Amino acid sequence: MTAADTPMPKTVPGNYFEDFSVGQALPHATPRTVSEGDAALYTALYGSRFALQSSDEFARALGLKRAPVDDLLAFHIVFGKTVADISLNAVANLGYAACRFGAPVYPGDTIRAASTVLGVKENSSGKTGVVYVNSTGRNQDGDIVLDYVRWVMVNKRDAASAAPEPVEPDLPEAVPADELAVPEGLSCAGYDDALAGSAARWEDYAPGERINHVDAMTVEEADHMLATRLYQNTAKVHFNQHAAGETRFGRRIVYGGHVISHARALSFNGLANACKILAINGGRHVAPLFAGDTIYAWSEVLERIALPGRGDVGALRLRTVATKDRACADFPYKDSDGKYDPAVVLDFDYTVLMPKR
Amino acid sequence: MTAADTPMPKTVPGNYFEDFSVGQALPHATPRTVSEGDAALYTALYGSRFALQSSDEFARALGLKRAPVDDLLAFHIVFGKTVADISLNAVANLGYAACRFGAPVYPGDTIRAASTVLGVKENSSGKTGVVYVNSTGRNQDGDIVLDYVRWVMVNKRDAASAAPEPVEPDLPEAVPADELAVPEGLSCAGYDDALAGSAARWEDYAPGERINHVDAMTVEEADHMLATRLYQNTAKVHFNQHAAGETRFGRRIVYGGHVISHARALSFNGLANACKILAINGGRHVAPLFAGDTIYAWSEVLERIALPGRGDVGALRLRTVATKDRACADFPYKDSDGKYDPAVVLDFDYTVLMPKR
Amino acid sequence: MTAADTPMPKTVPGNYFEDFSVGQALPHATPRTVSEGDAALYTALYGSRFALQSSDEFARALGLKRAPVDDLLAFHIVFGKTVADISLNAVANLGYAACRFGAPVYPGDTIRAASTVLGVKENSSGKTGVVYVNSTGRNQDGDIVLDYVRWVMVNKRDAASAAPEPVEPDLPEAVPADELAVPEGLSCAGYDDALAGSAARWEDYAPGERINHVDAMTVEEADHMLATRLYQNTAKVHFNQHAAGETRFGRRIVYGGHVISHARALSFNGLANACKILAINGGRHVAPLFAGDTIYAWSEVLERIALPGRGDVGALRLRTVATKDRACADFPYKDSDGKYDPAVVLDFDYTVLMPKR
């Protein structure tokens, strides 16, 4: 060091619990133009077969300008941008809520993300705290493509620092029907079941019905790292085996969103007409997933939701449960004490759009 | 289960031998818009270097509107769509024949697929049968991009069910010259050998000539699964290590088409001017390939075919043989009893387009 | 073999030392149209987050027509094309110099490459020689996108052949300031630090300053092979485990350029505003990298270069050092005898563009 004695710090240390305050606005770096390349990679990573996202012709027949990218690709891109500011020093990603999908994302759209702190609450240990943020992704026109709340447990920089006034936001158990956004111009009047792969429409699904998605997918290190880098998500635990070897797991942890995307792709077999995700009501990564694990999934229909003024489409609230190394013919979930089956890795509560008869 | 006592089945069990009948039409799900992203992934998966598919400028110089995607990418996409209806319960993929490539596939084209059953024949065991199907891929204008016959051995649902009248289609040994389709507008008059990577033209290849392609490629689990998912091929044996661990192989089986694409990419070194596949006359996956295996390949020129009215291009019928973990300097193939060398994994008979002097 | 007794050789053996002569022009095969798919794959392979290459909107705000692809993607594509003619029989890739980036590469551009031999010098062993080439990549308009000198040690075909007159080109220690090309139309007057991810501008970096890039990335076989195939680089050592198992390493060697791209992507954390590479002054692959290794990186600012007539941007000459399986908080480099720390794999000297205050 010759010319600069105390240079401005250049690397981003991430925020600690003390750095967050209610109402604080956090713009996130690296806007991202989503492309046909991203969409192709998404297909290669998950093998998703939903016709609306796969075919421009199918999308045009439903009134859209072309095939939008997978809703979860948009989610992962927005989520990825929040990591450096929200969860770089997180101990755990505790939950999601109130996630609404807005304008569809098309190749060519540029997404940027920003968050606002909704709540902070120090834990009794005095070493960590919970931070609630509302994160929003917008396209180049300023339209909201995604809006959600996430809460994470974050380390304090200094255990001796004073606890802030605790603030916990009110969060809905599920996104209400009147906040579910059907893409402008979309009509399922001419929906083609044969091309979509299933004759089962909205009316054919009943609350309480359970569906074993049968298929399964083994995750490789290269796969989940390609995915997580594609989302420009920089959480260290996914990438660095040299450091992970020293942790209690001894291995890299697969990004939880990668599991969600696999579960959604597997759900095609049984939910082929669930053509779009409208909302994520809640989600819990029950256990970590590692390369070499095989993901299975099953779903339960939680609710059949009529959409006001729509004769062509309705919504289904679903719970999709993913397991590792365990087939789902018997729908593994929780025992009578409410304890998860040890094979469960994901408990995902979301709302999808489906054509009506 | 509360609201629905006997819900409509939602998952696709696939067809069994009894479900097929001669003349039956099977539309396949999930139309697919092919993109520049798919083309880039194809390059990343195989490293293919044929100039016509690599460069828009090169393609335009030959009269096309831009670089078409690799012919085998179109093949894999169409093939992938047929799996759920044709071969989900297949014991073995027995063969291909009469595969003709039609209109080139360009980024932006949307491909859909449909099949017609040409033949059924129960096996003597009474437990399985052979089904012959003609599968066709079409673009958004209805033009045929690919048309082929495949036959598979499929499980019967019920061994006690009666055998159908056996029908076996007549299949050509090779696609005849007058059915080979040179893309409309294509002319190789101004073909640039230096850019294409070889000075060897159609006249320089003689029937009986054998070419060792020298290079080799090791297959990884992540690679072949990315490829097979990209093609939206859902055959379970490629993806589920948890279940594969219980099979006689103990491992996931690499999609046979992945081996074909590697063999074709390796064949560039020796056949750089084989700028387009016109037909697949027949193909046999002699042995399964697994991750960790290294693919080598060699080719034999079977026939030099003049194309009527064409001074600029001719066709070559080729046999490309791929091996695993064995170099091909001595052209491993069959012994005097017609038994394949144990290293051979693929015996592929196809016809390519090549510029003339 | 029946019809052709001595057919024209079809496979490319690559050039040996005797095949090179000063002034010789070598056009390279396989022009390549770069696409959005390549850009997406590049992001998936390295997780790069530089805003200028990530967002069309960000690029337009700086005066460009859209986001250019990563400079190193252009480098790898051009480099890949040279392999078959320059380094197929190379023993070692000795160095790079005088690498200048010219016109930005946009999706849709078609790149071709050609080389000229600048020098040849037989080694004292008589078995090998050093070949210096100037390689140039041009777009479809003939604009230079990349121009560099590389020297490689190449095997002689015949150790008994006479040594040529030795010619060694004069190479600059670094690309001079007046040869650094800021893309036409680019202005950083409205550069947005928040979107770019850092408030540190050109003036905030001082010669001698060292930056630990903190993050790290483990390399998988599938990753580096996907990358190297994407670049259509055919060097055998990266792909063939069957043959690599017999070498002293026993393994496939990761393409050195893959390490450079990882180091550049890691450098975002500390150099987020280093929005474009202008030049590569020199680079040394100090040790081979293998799958399973984890790459860390640190950088030193070597020089702050004012660009004539530019109030909006300046250049920084940097040294980025990459290590394997060793964190870089203490900046591992060379010992007092000039010997590299055993963890160092890359010593990379380059010049970047950065917005001024």
Side-chain angles (χ1 to χ4, degrees):
Chain A
M1 184 74 51
T2 54
D5 288 329
T6 321
M8 172 182 176
K10 300 301 189 311
T11 51
V12 173
N15 288 313
Y16 288 86
F17 182 66
E18 296 93 325
D19 299 321
F20 295 100
S21 59
V22 176
Q24 181 184 9
L26 295 153
H28 302 303
T30 313
R32 173 82 142 82
T33 302
V34 179
S35 77
E36 294 182 357
D38 298 308
L41 266 161
Y42 194 86
T43 302
L45 288 163
Y46 306 108
S48 190
R49 288 180 288 150
F50 295 96
L52 179 58
Q53 288 77 25
S54 181
S55 165
D56 285 346
E57 300 290 322
F58 192 93
R60 282 181 200 123
L62 301 191
L64 301 187
K65 65 178 179 182
R66 63 183 296 188
V69 304
D70 196 283
D71 301 297
L72 292 172
L73 173 56
F75 178 84
H76 298 323
I77 287 176
V78 172
F79 183 96
K81 301 197 176 317
T82 69
V83 167
D85 301 306
I86 306 295
S87 48
L88 209 61
N89 301 305
V91 182
N93 194 23
L94 298 174
Y96 312 100
C99 175
R100 294 162 304 181
F101 290 85
V105 176
Y106 294 101
D109 284 353
T110 299
I111 307 303
R112 58 164 86 183
S115 298
T116 305
V117 178
L118 297 184
V120 291
K121 182 164 184 288
E122 185 165 305
N123 286 322
S124 55
S125 71
K127 294 181 184 163
T128 58
V130 177
V131 178
Y132 297 80
V133 295
N134 170 219
S135 299
T136 305
R138 290 175 187 271
N139 66 19
Q140 66 284 355
D141 298 323
D143 301 328
I144 292 179
V145 299
L146 182 67
D147 184 82
Y148 66 96
V149 175
R150 167 161 85 116
W151 55 109
V152 291
M153 192 190 304
V154 181
N155 280 315
K156 289 178 69 177
R157 182 179 286 108
D158 172 13
S161 64
E165 183 73 22
V167 177
E168 287 182 282
D170 253 355
L171 294 171
E173 192 223 335
V175 175
D178 62 3
E179 294 187 14
L180 300 173
V182 179
E184 210 181 307
L186 183 139
S187 162
C188 282
Y191 192 90
D192 185 326
D193 286 349
L195 286 179
S198 170
R201 296 282 186 108
W202 182 76
E203 294 85 347
D204 300 312
Y205 291 87
E209 182 176 353
R210 292 173 172 194
I211 302 159
N212 171 20
H213 298 307
V214 182
D215 301 315
M217 188 58 67
T218 303
V219 173
E220 300 293 322
E221 298 283 13
D223 283 352
H224 78 81
M225 292 203 300
L226 279 171
T228 311
R229 286 186 301 240
L230 182 69
Y231 312 141
Q232 298 175 310
N233 178 326
T234 58
K236 300 173 206 296
V237 295
H238 309 313
F239 299 118
N240 182 342
Q241 183 55 43
H242 180 243
E246 306 299 310
T247 65
R248 68 184 162 123
F249 297 122
R251 315 164 65 180
R252 283 160 279 179
I253 298 171
V254 172
Y255 163 50
H258 192 64
V259 179
I260 296 175
S261 280
H262 271 305
R264 165 75 173 156
L266 292 171
S267 81
F268 179 88
N269 195 350
L271 289 162
N273 288 333
C275 60
K276 181 173 175 24
I277 299 181
L278 297 172
I280 299 171
N281 303 307
R284 185 164 167 201
H285 298 294
V286 177
L289 193 100
F290 304 100
D293 291 343
T294 299
I295 302 174
Y296 290 82
W298 66 273
S299 295
E300 178 169 352
V301 179
L302 298 179
E303 191 183 352
R304 200 163 60 195
I305 304 165
L307 294 176
R310 302 293 306 217
D312 61 328
V313 288
L316 292 180
R317 184 177 168 195
L318 302 169
R319 171 186 294 122
T320 292
V321 175
T323 61
K324 62 178 170 189
D325 294 341
R326 186 190 190 296
C328 290
D330 61 345
F331 311 114
Y333 191 45
K334 291 178 180 174
D335 65 16
S336 53
D337 296 335
K339 212 180 141 215
Y340 282 104
D341 182 289
V344 172
V345 293
L346 174 73
D347 185 359
F348 194 60
D349 178 339
Y350 60 117
T351 302
V352 298
L353 187 72
M354 194 175 274
K356 293 169 83 169
R357 295 212 165 278
Chain B
M1 183 74 52
T2 56
D5 289 328
T6 322
M8 171 184 177
K10 301 300 189 311
T11 50
V12 174
N15 289 312
Y16 288 86
F17 182 66
E18 295 94 324
D19 300 320
F20 295 100
S21 60
V22 175
Q24 181 184 9
L26 294 153
H28 303 303
T30 312
R32 172 83 142 80
T33 302
V34 179
S35 77
E36 293 182 358
D38 297 307
L41 267 160
Y42 194 87
T43 303
L45 288 164
Y46 306 107
S48 189
R49 288 180 288 151
F50 294 97
L52 179 57
Q53 288 77 24
S54 181
S55 165
D56 285 347
E57 300 290 323
F58 192 93
R60 283 182 200 123
L62 302 192
L64 301 187
K65 66 179 177 182
R66 62 183 296 189
V69 304
D70 196 284
D71 302 297
L72 292 172
L73 173 56
F75 178 84
H76 298 321
I77 287 175
V78 172
F79 184 97
K81 302 200 173 317
T82 70
V83 167
D85 302 306
I86 307 294
S87 48
L88 210 59
N89 301 305
V91 182
N93 195 23
L94 299 174
Y96 312 100
C99 175
R100 293 163 304 182
F101 290 84
V105 176
Y106 295 102
D109 285 353
T110 298
I111 307 303
R112 57 165 85 184
S115 298
T116 304
V117 178
L118 297 183
V120 291
K121 182 163 184 285
E122 186 166 305
N123 286 323
S124 55
S125 71
K127 293 182 185 163
T128 57
V130 177
V131 179
Y132 297 81
V133 296
N134 171 219
S135 299
T136 304
R138 289 176 189 270
N139 66 18
Q140 66 284 354
D141 299 322
D143 301 327
I144 292 178
V145 299
L146 184 67
D147 184 82
Y148 66 96
V149 176
R150 167 161 86 115
W151 54 108
V152 292
M153 193 191 303
V154 181
N155 280 315
K156 288 177 70 177
R157 183 180 285 108
D158 172 12
S161 64
E165 183 74 22
V167 176
E168 289 182 280
D170 254 355
L171 294 171
E173 192 223 335
V175 174
D178 61 4
E179 294 186 14
L180 300 173
V182 179
E184 210 182 306
L186 184 139
S187 162
C188 282
Y191 193 90
D192 185 325
D193 286 350
L195 285 179
S198 170
R201 296 282 185 108
W202 183 76
E203 294 84 347
D204 300 311
Y205 290 86
E209 181 175 354
R210 293 173 172 194
I211 302 159
N212 171 20
H213 299 306
V214 182
D215 301 315
M217 187 60 66
T218 303
V219 173
E220 300 292 322
E221 298 283 13
D223 282 353
H224 77 82
M225 293 202 300
L226 280 171
T228 311
R229 287 187 301 241
L230 183 69
Y231 312 142
Q232 298 174 311
N233 178 326
T234 58
K236 300 173 207 297
V237 295
H238 310 313
F239 299 118
N240 182 342
Q241 182 55 43
H242 181 243
E246 306 298 311
T247 64
R248 70 185 160 121
F249 296 122
R251 317 165 63 179
R252 285 160 278 179
I253 298 172
V254 172
Y255 163 49
H258 193 64
V259 179
I260 296 175
S261 281
H262 272 305
R264 165 75 172 154
L266 292 171
S267 81
F268 179 87
N269 195 350
L271 290 162
N273 287 334
C275 60
K276 183 176 172 23
I277 299 181
L278 297 172
I280 300 172
N281 303 306
R284 186 164 167 201
H285 298 293
V286 177
L289 192 100
F290 303 101
D293 292 342
T294 299
I295 302 174
Y296 290 82
W298 66 273
S299 296
E300 177 168 352
V301 180
L302 299 179
E303 191 183 351
R304 200 163 61 194
I305 304 166
L307 294 176
R310 303 292 307 217
D312 60 329
V313 287
L316 292 180
R317 184 176 167 196
L318 302 170
R319 170 185 294 121
T320 292
V321 174
T323 60
K324 62 178 168 187
D325 294 341
R326 185 190 190 296
C328 290
D330 61 346
F331 312 114
Y333 190 45
K334 292 178 179 174
D335 65 17
S336 53
D337 296 335
K339 213 181 139 215
Y340 282 103
D341 183 289
V344 171
V345 292
L346 174 72
D347 185 358
F348 194 59
D349 178 338
Y350 60 117
T351 302
V352 298
L353 186 72
M354 195 176 273
K356 292 168 84 169
R357 294 211 165 279
Chain C
M1 184 75 52
T2 55
D5 288 328
T6 321
M8 172 182 176
K10 300 301 188 312
T11 51
V12 173
N15 289 313
Y16 288 86
F17 182 66
E18 295 94 323
D19 299 320
F20 294 100
S21 59
V22 175
Q24 181 183 11
L26 294 154
H28 303 302
T30 313
R32 171 84 142 81
T33 302
V34 179
S35 78
E36 293 182 358
D38 297 308
L41 267 160
Y42 194 86
T43 303
L45 288 164
Y46 306 107
S48 189
R49 288 181 289 150
F50 294 97
L52 178 58
Q53 288 77 25
S54 181
S55 165
D56 285 346
E57 300 291 322
F58 193 93
R60 283 182 200 121
L62 301 192
L64 301 187
K65 65 178 178 182
R66 62 182 296 188
V69 304
D70 197 284
D71 301 298
L72 292 171
L73 174 55
F75 178 83
H76 299 322
I77 287 176
V78 172
F79 184 96
K81 302 198 175 319
T82 68
V83 167
D85 302 305
I86 306 295
S87 48
L88 210 59
N89 301 305
V91 182
N93 195 23
L94 299 174
Y96 312 101
C99 175
R100 293 162 304 181
F101 290 84
V105 176
Y106 294 102
D109 284 353
T110 299
I111 307 303
R112 59 164 86 184
S115 298
T116 305
V117 178
L118 297 183
V120 290
K121 180 162 185 288
E122 186 165 303
N123 285 322
S124 55
S125 71
K127 294 181 184 164
T128 58
V130 178
V131 178
Y132 296 81
V133 295
N134 171 218
S135 298
T136 305
R138 288 175 188 270
N139 66 18
Q140 67 283 354
D141 299 322
D143 301 326
I144 292 178
V145 298
L146 183 67
D147 184 82
Y148 65 97
V149 175
R150 168 162 84 114
W151 54 109
V152 292
M153 193 191 302
V154 181
N155 280 314
K156 288 177 72 176
R157 182 180 286 107
D158 172 12
S161 65
E165 182 75 22
V167 176
E168 287 182 282
D170 253 352
L171 294 172
E173 192 224 333
V175 174
D178 61 3
E179 294 186 13
L180 300 173
V182 179
E184 209 180 307
L186 183 139
S187 161
C188 281
Y191 193 90
D192 185 325
D193 286 350
L195 286 179
S198 170
R201 297 282 185 108
W202 182 75
E203 294 84 348
D204 300 311
Y205 291 87
E209 182 176 352
R210 293 172 171 193
I211 302 160
N212 172 20
H213 299 306
V214 181
D215 301 315
M217 187 60 66
T218 303
V219 173
E220 300 292 322
E221 298 282 14
D223 283 353
H224 77 82
M225 292 202 300
L226 279 170
T228 311
R229 288 186 300 243
L230 182 70
Y231 312 141
Q232 298 174 309
N233 178 325
T234 58
K236 300 173 206 299
V237 295
H238 309 313
F239 299 118
N240 182 343
Q241 183 55 44
H242 181 244
E246 306 298 312
T247 64
R248 69 185 161 121
F249 296 123
R251 316 166 63 179
R252 283 159 279 178
I253 298 171
V254 173
Y255 163 49
H258 193 63
V259 179
I260 296 175
S261 280
H262 271 305
R264 166 75 173 154
L266 292 171
S267 81
F268 179 87
N269 195 350
L271 290 162
N273 288 333
C275 60
K276 184 177 174 19
I277 299 181
L278 297 172
I280 299 172
N281 303 307
R284 184 162 168 203
H285 298 294
V286 177
L289 192 100
F290 304 101
D293 292 343
T294 299
I295 302 173
Y296 290 82
W298 65 273
S299 295
E300 178 169 352
V301 179
L302 299 179
E303 191 182 352
R304 201 162 61 195
I305 304 165
L307 294 175
R310 304 292 308 218
D312 61 329
V313 288
L316 291 180
R317 184 176 168 196
L318 301 169
R319 171 185 294 122
T320 292
V321 174
T323 60
K324 62 177 170 188
D325 294 341
R326 186 188 190 296
C328 291
D330 62 345
F331 312 113
Y333 190 46
K334 292 178 179 173
D335 65 16
S336 53
D337 296 334
K339 213 180 140 214
Y340 281 103
D341 182 288
V344 171
V345 292
L346 175 71
D347 185 358
F348 194 60
D349 178 338
Y350 60 118
T351 302
V352 297
L353 187 72
M354 194 175 275
K356 293 168 84 168
R357 294 213 165 276

